[in-house]
Amino acid sequence: MSAIPTINTDILILGSGGAGLFAALHAHQENPNLDITIAVKGLLGKSGCTRMVQGGYNVALAEGDSVERHFMDTIEGGKWLCDQDLAWTLVNTAVERIHELENELGCFFDRNPDGTVHQKAFAGQTFDRTVHKGDLTGIEIINRLAEQVWARGINRLEEHRAIELIHSKDGKSLAGVLMLNMQTGQFVLIRAKAVLLATGGGPTMYKYHTPSGDKSCDGLAMALRAGLVLRDMEMVQFHPTGLLAGPGTRMTGTVIEEGLRGAGGYLLNGNQERFMGNYDPRNERATRDIVSRSINSEIRAGRATPNGGVYIQMSHLGPENVRKLFKGMVERCADSGFDLTNDLVEVVPTAHYMMGGLVFNKDCTTDLPGLFAAGEDTGGVHGANRLGGNGVANSTVFGGIAGESMARWVASQQLSECNMDEVVASIHEHEAPLKKSSGDIEAIRDELAECMWNDVGISRTRDSLFHARQILKQLASRLNQMGVGDIQREYSNTWQDWMNLQNLILVSQAVTEAAIARENSRGAHYREDFPEPGSLEDSHYTAVRLKQGELSIENLPVQFSLVKPGETILVEV
Ligand SMILES: Cc1cc2nc3c(=O)[nH]c(=O)nc-3n(C[C@H](O)[C@H](O)[C@H](O)COP(=O)(O)OP(=O)(O)OC[C@H]3O[C@@H](n4cnc5c(N)ncnc54)[C@H](O)[C@@H]3O)c2cc1C
């Protein structure tokens, strides 16, 4: 094999969402002389889900609120499965980060008439603490972050896809990452002293899903292949209200944001009856898991709308008011031919977020020296359920911390020699589909989406999960035998799709195995055959890893480092 083009850098950041961009800025701030490279599958500032953030950013700012209260909401929302040190770091550092976003990076968030930052209601929280810019908060955050990154001479490799984490020759640390330049179809090896995994997870293996199309769980699949442990993988969050815009449009599944229910929107079944009160006293403001399951129950009971979902109704709040408060959502619905201000709009639960991910520490180090992780690729912060508004807080908080940690780490490191056997093996594996005749990749994608939706979706049983295990194995084997033909490598979507599917199937298998292992129901994970949550005091989390080609799973005890079930850190006054 001819020599592979190689780039050396101090810090390599994979992904340019909130986690990746914050990491770059903080690493640069810590040491402006560092060579920092952001490599991203999409375009910098235009890809990933942080840009898609609608509702906003949770942070305890207002009088009467506190980080302790935000912490308790996070722990209780996470059904006591959160890593408490990570959750505490999240809520505490969010305060510093939101000031940084406003005062240093120049984000404009909505304000009250008295000049204080406006914070809106989000489900599952005991205080209105979601900072926002209308209902399209992510665009404001990502645009300001991207401008600052551009201004600092940080290297950019756009449309560069990370393919494999490469160990050092002695196997003890990470030495670099094998990338594919998607523009040319050529492989590139990037050697780095520190690498940040910030590719943003994203449950795009489900039939209805919200995350951006560039996300195919690549980071999680690479971490598994590198022998690392993922936790809480059974915890896939379904957002209750994805738009049902009909088949054949990418608008189906996109989120109609939670603030609508927070502001008083109603959910009605196909008979146009309000039903949430039958499931939870908080009605439409119950947490996402409960609302999604309730909608699922209505659909299964035969009370679905014509297209198989339920309705959201906003008109009783006044059309002008709705238009003013939710401009982005009103326009999104209008784009698909619906009038959110006056009419009922059909919605369905949609796979939104993965609470599970790579095991990491509060300084963003991982079990593999040289590898750092932040954002939606990580697990443990949210436990069994993420509160709306805690996602972008998570990626920006830990992205910033990762940047500082990496800058400090590389000060004492040299570039390591890469294990070239791993590089060659990975190139061989990823080139294999180009050498086989083309098959029906689209069919595999559809079967994966149906299997995950039906068998590993909002409600699960042992039978459905075992069925999924079998189907996923077959899909993996069919994909392996299937090629894409001898097509051009430049901008090859078909080849990329093959790689996307390979990663999605592997991570779907991890989700399924974790769901089989958890024989109780917590947060986003609901087992019809084990509907009880089990003892909170004996809570465990699932830990999955790939060993000799097989996924193995362990249940490990949750450490209640700050507060035990039944207790609170809030002080009564
Ligand atoms: C529609 C929608 C609305 C949301 N609204 C909210 C909200 O209101 N509040 C909230 O808190 N959270 C919200 N979230 C969740 C939030 O967006 C995420 O939790 C968070 O932004 C993830 O940030 P990240 O940096 O980890 O990943 P992302 O922002 O998703 O960035 C991932 C990056 O990795 C890149 N990438 C992927 N694979 C590779 C690869 N192989 N190689 C190189 N690069 C790669 C992508 O191109 C992208 O640049 C929403 C999500 C969606 C989808």
Side-chain angles (χ1 to χ4, degrees):
M1 197 175 70
S2 54
I4 167 168
T6 303
I7 296 170
N8 295 336
T9 189
D10 291 319
I11 293 178
L12 171 63
I13 293 168
L14 301 176
S16 69
L21 295 182
F22 248 105
L25 291 177
H26 276 226
H28 184 270
Q29 195 171 17
E30 189 80 12
N31 181 355
N33 298 320
L34 289 175
D35 189 88
I36 302 169
T37 304
I38 300 180
V40 49
K41 192 173 177 184
L43 300 177
L44 193 147
K46 303 278 187 224
S47 56
C49 291
T50 309
R51 195 179 171 81
M52 298 164 82
V53 163
Q54 301 171 345
Y57 191 119
N58 288 346
V59 54
L61 291 180
E63 211 178 311
D65 199 6
S66 66
V67 288
E68 288 80 5
R69 204 164 163 169
H70 187 185
F71 175 77
M72 286 310 300
D73 285 350
T74 302
I75 297 298
E76 277 166 9
K79 306 294 174 211
W80 294 90
L81 293 190
C82 306
D83 176 310
Q84 298 192 353
D85 291 335
L86 293 176
W88 180 253
T89 307
L90 169 78
V91 299
N92 216 14
T93 317
V95 180
E96 176 186 324
R97 203 60 91 235
I98 206 81
H99 289 313
E100 192 179 343
L101 278 163
E102 272 212 305
N103 302 335
E104 292 179 33
L105 300 171
C107 288
F108 282 102
F109 296 119
D110 287 10
R111 296 201 164 256
N112 296 311
D114 68 358
T116 53
V117 174
H118 182 259
Q119 295 184 271
K120 65 179 168 187
F122 246 27
Q125 304 199 61
T126 59
F127 207 91
D128 295 354
R129 65 166 72 90
T130 308
V131 172
H132 62 109
K133 163 101 178 172
D135 57 1
L136 295 173
T137 311
I139 294 178
E140 179 71 1
I141 293 178
I142 281 291
N143 284 357
R144 301 293 82 78
L145 281 171
E147 285 161 7
Q148 296 299 327
V149 165
W150 286 325
R152 281 167 176 73
I154 289 163
N155 307 316
R156 279 191 272 160
L157 292 172
E158 295 177 302
E159 295 180 312
H160 275 65
R161 172 188 187 130
I163 299 278
E164 213 78 74
L165 301 177
I166 304 297
H167 292 88
S168 57
K169 254 185 174 167
D170 63 10
K172 289 185 181 157
S173 61
L174 190 71
V177 179
L178 179 66
M179 311 283 310
L180 180 71
N181 177 340
M182 295 157 73
Q183 298 166 358
T184 62
Q186 298 304 308
F187 292 96
V188 182
L189 180 60
I190 307 188
R191 297 169 67 211
K193 297 173 190 168
V195 173
L196 179 69
L197 199 69
T199 67
T204 54
M205 64 283 265
Y206 285 88
K207 179 171 159 189
Y208 300 115
H209 62 253
T210 67
S212 57
D214 50 325
K215 300 216 291 192
S216 51
C217 297
D218 298 347
L220 299 175
M222 288 191 294
L224 279 173
R225 291 198 293 266
L228 291 157
V229 176
L230 309 184
R231 65 173 284 175
D232 300 327
M233 288 305 289
E234 71 278 23
M235 299 301 175
V236 178
Q237 180 168 79
F238 290 84
H239 194 294
T241 52
L243 186 63
L244 254 184
T249 160
R250 287 284 296 157
M251 292 305 282
T252 285
T254 55
V255 162
I256 298 298
E257 73 127 317
E258 187 154 297
L260 269 67
R261 284 182 291 117
Y266 292 161
L267 292 173
L268 310 179
N269 62 23
N271 303 333
Q272 303 202 12
E273 300 151 344
R274 201 173 161 208
F275 59 84
M276 271 311 300
N278 301 334
Y279 298 92
D280 193 286
R282 291 169 291 182
N283 292 309
E284 284 82 0
R285 283 183 69 169
T287 46
R288 291 177 175 179
D289 51 330
I290 292 172
V291 181
S292 292
R293 259 200 319 279
S294 309
I295 295 175
N296 202 36
S297 300
E298 290 297 304
I299 295 170
R300 283 187 177 188
R303 294 188 286 274
T305 56
N307 287 305
V310 296
Y311 296 112
I312 190 160
Q313 176 189 299
M314 297 301 291
S315 54
H316 60 283
L317 299 175
E320 274 322 305
N321 190 33
V322 173
R323 198 183 311 282
K324 189 167 139 244
L325 287 176
F326 300 105
K327 183 170 174 283
M329 292 304 104
V330 170
E331 285 172 4
R332 167 166 294 183
C333 288
D335 285 346
S336 300
F338 308 121
D339 180 358
L340 181 65
T341 59
N342 287 300
D343 295 340
L344 301 178
V345 173
E346 279 181 89
V347 291
V348 71
T350 175
H352 188 47
Y353 187 92
M354 302 176 91
M355 274 70 75
L358 182 59
V359 170
F360 80 126
N361 305 308
K362 64 182 179 189
D363 61 357
C364 297
T365 52
T366 68
D367 287 346
L368 182 60
L371 181 68
F372 297 74
E376 206 178 323
D377 270 345
T378 62
V381 179
H382 311 291
N385 193 26
R386 172 182 71 91
L387 297 180
N390 268 2
V392 63
N394 176 38
S395 59
T396 55
V397 159
F398 287 102
I401 293 173
E404 290 151 23
S405 289
M406 290 191 294
R408 286 196 290 270
W409 161 264
V410 299
S412 61
Q413 301 297 313
Q414 304 294 322
L415 285 174
S416 304
E417 287 302 318
C418 290
N419 178 336
M420 291 309 287
D421 290 344
E422 286 183 357
V423 174
V424 171
S426 182
I427 291 179
H428 184 74
E429 191 187 338
H430 286 95
E431 280 185 334
L434 295 168
K435 295 172 184 156
K436 294 178 195 154
S437 54
S438 63
D440 191 354
I441 289 190
E442 200 55 35
I444 294 197
R445 183 172 232 307
D446 290 347
E447 285 173 52
L448 173 66
E450 286 294 334
C451 164
M452 291 304 285
W453 188 256
N454 295 329
D455 293 339
V456 199
I458 296 167
S459 287
R460 301 148 178 193
T461 63
R462 186 177 185 278
D463 286 351
S464 75
L465 294 168
F466 273 67
H467 183 246
R469 181 190 264 174
Q470 202 189 352
I471 299 286
L472 292 170
K473 199 170 172 193
Q474 287 168 10
L475 292 179
S477 146
R478 270 169 56 199
L479 184 74
N480 233 0
Q481 286 157 21
M482 186 179 285
V484 296
D486 184 17
I487 49 176
Q488 68 170 43
R489 288 163 169 249
E490 296 90 346
Y491 289 109
S492 172
N493 285 339
T494 313
W495 190 23
Q496 299 302 323
D497 278 349
W498 188 96
M499 293 179 216
N500 291 344
L501 272 174
Q502 191 194 38
N503 289 339
L504 284 172
I505 293 172
L506 176 59
V507 176
S508 298
Q509 289 175 310
V511 172
T512 306
E513 293 307 317
I516 290 172
R518 177 168 292 285
E519 294 189 331
N520 59 35
S521 292
R522 293 272 182 108
H525 171 75
Y526 186 74
R527 288 275 304 253
E528 286 174 36
D529 43 355
F530 296 99
E532 298 305 321
S535 154
L536 292 186
E537 290 73 21
D538 300 321
S539 292
H540 67 265
Y541 67 91
T542 58
V544 60
R545 69 168 0 137
L546 194 61
K547 269 191 201 159
Q548 278 125 29
E550 294 290 326
L551 289 168
S552 72
I553 190 121
E554 259 185 302
N555 289 333
L556 298 172
V558 174
Q559 305 297 330
F560 301 117
S561 55
L562 296 172
V563 59
K564 293 193 174 64
E567 295 177 358
T568 177
I569 60 168
L570 297 181
V571 183
E572 294 289 331
V573 281

